[in-house]
Amino acid sequence: MLGVKSTEVIQMKLRIKPSEMKVLLSRKLEYFKQIITKNGIMAIPYVEFLIDIKNNEFKIALATGAKREKLKI
């Protein structure tokens, strides 16, 4: 479900109470951190191209829909 917030997916699929949402999302983030720590992250296509551009002193920018908390992992 690309582009859909985690809270919306959880509410649609699991039909949980909003009060339980924070706990579940916190647990999900912890699982995500554990998996990334253990397995790393696979680069998306063209990442090598962006690295080459940066190494040749071109300015680049990267946009994401992820929260800052996930970017720090």
Side-chain angles (χ1 to χ4, degrees), residues 14-31:
L14 301 180
R15 301 177 196 262
I16 66 157
K17 298 176 187 175
S19 60
E20 297 172 323
M21 185 68 62
K22 188 173 183 177
V23 173
L24 287 176
L25 291 176
S26 176
R27 287 178 59 192
K28 183 189 112 188
L29 183 58
E30 286 305 313
Y31 290 138

Side-chain angles (χ1 to χ4, degrees), residues 20-61:
E20 297 172 323
M21 185 68 62
K22 188 173 183 177
V23 173
L24 287 176
L25 291 176
S26 176
R27 287 178 59 192
K28 183 189 112 188
L29 183 58
E30 286 305 313
Y31 290 138
F32 177 78
K33 288 178 183 178
Q34 289 172 12
I35 291 168
I36 297 305
T37 300
K38 181 179 176 185
N39 301 323
I41 297 176
M42 288 183 56
I44 59 172
Y46 308 110
V47 155
E48 293 84 9
F49 173 69
L50 292 174
I51 291 169
D52 286 343
I53 288 174
K54 186 173 191 305
N55 288 339
N56 286 291
E57 300 183 24
F58 287 91
K59 292 183 180 182
I60 63 169

